[in-house]
Amino acid sequence: MTEEHQTLALLLFSAFVAVTLGITTWVSRNRRGSAEEFYAGGRLFSPMENGFAIAGDYMSAASFLGVTGLIALFGYDGLLYVVGFLVAWLVVLFLVAELVRNCGRFTLADVVAARMRERPVRIAAGTSSVTVSVLYLVAQMVGAGSLVALLLGGTSDAARAWTVIGVGALMVIYVSLGGMRATTWIQIVKAVLLLGGTIALTVLVLMRFHGDLNRLLLTAAERSGHGAAFLAPGLKYGGDWTARFDFISLGLALVLGTAGLPHILSRFYTVPTARAARRSVVWAVGLIGGFYLMTIVLGFGAAAILGPDAVRGSNAAGNTAVPLLALDLGGGAGSTGGTVLFAIVAAVAFATILAVVAGITLASSASVAHDLYASLRRRGGKPRSEVTVARIAAVGVGAVAIALGLLARDLNVAFLVGLAFAVAASANLPVLLYSLFWRGFTTRGAVWAVYGGLVPAVLLVVLSPVVSGSPDSLFPGIDLQFFPLQNPGLVSIPLGFLAGWLGTVTSAEVPDEVKHAETEVRSLTGAGAA
């Protein structure tokens, strides 16, 4: 990249960081310091504001960078992520949004603990929420490293490392000082910027092909080197039965995982009523749906205009396809238009990463403070305030995410998010659905559902080709590979549901009919909701 690229993009980065830090500082001066203010922003956001914030939280580096790169490299098979991410919101809309808003206060564990013994349930759900959050954070860190390495003109390990550390430091500042209110406004600003940038790029791609989508697809297929196979299923997931099962596994994880993501569930607590929560989701679905339709155009546009070889040449996983596409659409390397458009897109992508990591860090620190700390602290000692513990937890979660982000820097960000979705669908979704809809569900069933999905999901990832046994794995020099699939969802999601059922039917505990009735009435009507 030329010095003009670097200077302009760094200026735009700095401008966004300055604006978001200004928002955080302003909010920190005007907050009341209560747990409700820190975790839920005082529940003062309108459905439209929360819908934009949900969209901003969900449209991550995986969407903007990773999915577009996968479509550019693998054509039709890359669309699986688009379909999975979008269809998942139907599950959220019809099964989760209103009920979670009515039953909980700040975290997933609140919903489950409403009718169970609190301590074991909070420890299990808190552990699972932190694990999912850290996995999701790693994907954002990898995206940040790829982006800034491209900006600085190379793939220097030092550049990536300092980028990941810088993003981690910023997210800790956002969460520690501003809480949910600052995080929400950062996500709203980011959603507007991302949608605006994506619309502009989509229009430019379509103008390049005179609005002819058929010509765009045919050109992409021709330049891909795979011909018609680029536009048909099977290029990435159709080689053998293992690849096909991986396809099914990933699809299940994407469709079912959203409803178990802690940072998405926590957004439903920032609105005053359950009706507002549902309207928030309607807003979010519209915004997210439009965005993903445009990423399809950008992915095939990158394949047609740049070619997969150029995309791989910059980043083997395809994470830099969108910035490179912007450079070409603006007039190419060295041109003023290319420099400006590249810098804007790089800054928007960086803004995307900062906003998402802030939301995830807040959700995970809330789980540590509200669930784990409250359950594990010694009785009789002087307790710290939850908000103080949450701020300390943000630092710890940030440190872990930075370390893992440095380790996984060569993996595709959308693929990494797929792993986080698989763990969320395996550990969080079963216990959430059983708690809301099964009258006979017990405390043992809840704990077994969480650990019965969480432990197999994490263990299968460790024993998969992702970690070892292949040239593209995290540790190519060793071979611990036992499980053939890259995504564990096909096995771990049914195990989570099975463990919850088995724990319940083998439990001597008599389900509390009164608490279930209270929970049912509250979830459906909102009576007594926080």
Side-chain angles (χ1 to χ4, degrees):
M1 294 298 132
T2 63
E3 286 187 14
E4 287 84 357
H5 288 97
Q6 295 179 24
T7 304
L8 186 56
L10 287 172
L11 284 173
L12 289 170
F13 284 177
S14 301
F16 181 80
V17 170
V19 168
T20 52
L21 286 175
I23 292 171
T24 304
T25 305
W26 175 74
V27 168
S28 68
R29 289 176 179 173
N30 291 277
R31 65 163 188 253
R32 296 189 298 272
S34 66
E36 184 175 63
E37 173 72 24
F38 186 81
Y39 294 143
R43 309 190 198 280
L44 298 174
F45 292 99
S46 70
M48 185 181 76
E49 289 169 345
N50 198 43
F52 269 89
I54 291 172
D57 220 350
Y58 196 71
M59 297 183 303
S60 66
S63 308
F64 193 51
L65 301 177
V67 171
T68 308
L70 285 173
I71 294 173
L73 296 179
F74 301 106
Y76 184 95
D77 278 10
L79 295 179
L80 173 62
Y81 284 88
V82 173
V83 175
F85 284 148
L86 190 53
V87 172
W89 280 98
L90 297 178
V91 179
V92 176
L93 179 62
F94 292 116
L95 293 180
V96 172
E98 281 193 60
L99 306 183
V100 165
R101 172 62 188 82
N102 284 336
C103 286
R105 289 188 67 218
F106 306 126
T107 64
L108 164 70
D110 288 335
V111 179
V112 185
R115 49 178 290 217
M116 311 290 177
R117 293 200 313 273
E118 282 207 35
R119 191 169 188 271
V121 166
R122 285 195 180 278
I123 292 171
T127 302
S128 171
S129 295
V130 172
T131 304
V132 172
S133 298
V134 168
L135 283 172
Y136 209 106
L137 279 171
V138 169
Q140 310 309 314
M141 298 295 193
V142 170
S146 299
L147 190 66
V148 175
L150 173 66
L151 172 68
L152 298 178
T155 55
S156 161
D157 287 344
R160 290 194 185 193
W162 282 110
T163 301
V164 169
I165 292 168
V167 171
L170 282 170
M171 74 185 185
V172 170
I173 292 169
Y174 291 149
V175 172
S176 300
L177 293 181
M180 178 59 85
R181 189 170 295 188
T183 299
T184 299
W185 281 111
I186 291 167
Q187 288 162 347
I188 291 170
V189 171
K190 166 256 169 141
V192 173
L193 289 174
L194 182 60
L195 287 167
T198 308
I199 289 169
L201 287 179
T202 302
V203 169
L204 289 172
V205 169
L206 293 176
M207 286 175 61
R208 179 72 65 93
F209 292 91
H210 306 290
D212 189 341
L213 286 173
N214 188 53
R215 184 179 165 199
L216 167 62
L217 295 175
L218 292 176
T219 306
E222 182 182 337
R223 293 208 61 183
S224 71
H226 298 286
F230 190 72
L231 303 179
L235 196 58
K236 181 174 174 61
Y237 295 109
D240 53 27
W241 280 106
T242 300
R244 293 174 189 177
F245 279 122
D246 235 336
F247 179 89
I248 297 169
S249 188
L250 177 62
L252 278 174
L254 295 178
V255 170
L256 299 178
T258 299
L261 291 175
H263 65 292
I264 296 298
L265 294 175
S266 67
R267 289 241 53 94
F268 300 134
Y269 300 126
T270 63
V271 288
T273 64
R275 183 169 180 266
R278 177 176 282 269
R279 289 175 61 200
S280 297
V281 175
V282 172
W283 271 99
V285 169
L287 295 169
I288 293 166
F291 171 76
Y292 279 121
L293 287 175
M294 290 187 286
T295 62
I296 297 174
V297 175
L298 297 185
F300 283 112
I305 294 169
L306 303 173
D309 290 339
V311 173
R312 280 195 187 91
S314 172
N315 181 275
N319 293 331
T320 55
V322 172
L324 290 175
L325 178 63
L327 180 63
D328 191 286
L329 291 171
S335 67
T336 302
T339 300
V340 171
L341 196 56
F342 170 87
I344 290 172
V345 168
V348 167
F350 198 68
T352 295
I353 292 164
L354 289 179
V356 173
V357 296
I360 303 167
T361 306
L362 180 60
S364 56
S365 62
S367 293
V368 171
H370 188 62
D371 301 326
L372 296 178
Y373 172 74
S375 300
L376 295 173
R377 69 179 175 84
R378 290 190 183 127
R379 306 299 176 193
K382 183 181 178 181
R384 291 174 181 250
S385 78
E386 268 192 29
V387 174
T388 301
V389 175
R391 289 180 180 138
I392 296 170
V395 178
V397 169
V400 172
I402 287 169
L404 292 175
L406 293 173
L407 190 65
R409 59 179 175 263
D410 293 324
L411 296 180
N412 182 277
V413 289
F415 167 74
L416 287 168
V417 165
L419 295 182
F421 273 60
V423 177
S426 304
N428 292 346
L429 186 64
V431 72
L432 183 61
L433 294 183
Y434 279 151
S435 297
L436 290 172
F437 299 110
W438 188 6
R439 183 181 299 274
F441 198 43
T442 64
T443 301
R444 178 192 281 185
V447 174
W448 283 27
V450 173
Y451 291 128
L454 177 65
V455 174
V458 174
L459 187 62
L460 290 176
V461 170
V462 171
L463 298 176
S464 75
V466 176
V467 173
S468 66
S470 72
D472 299 326
S473 61
L474 294 180
F475 302 104
I478 60 176
D479 189 358
L480 301 173
Q481 183 182 338
F482 174 77
F483 183 65
L485 304 183
Q486 294 189 340
N487 190 292
L490 186 62
V491 176
S492 60
I493 294 172
L495 283 178
F497 281 98
L498 178 62
W501 172 81
L502 191 62
T504 298
V505 298
T506 60
S507 173
E509 177 186 350
V510 178
D512 191 325
E513 293 287 336
V514 174
K515 281 190 177 180
H516 175 266
E518 289 176 359
T519 302
E520 188 173 39
V521 170
R522 181 171 163 183
S523 67
L524 294 174
T525 66

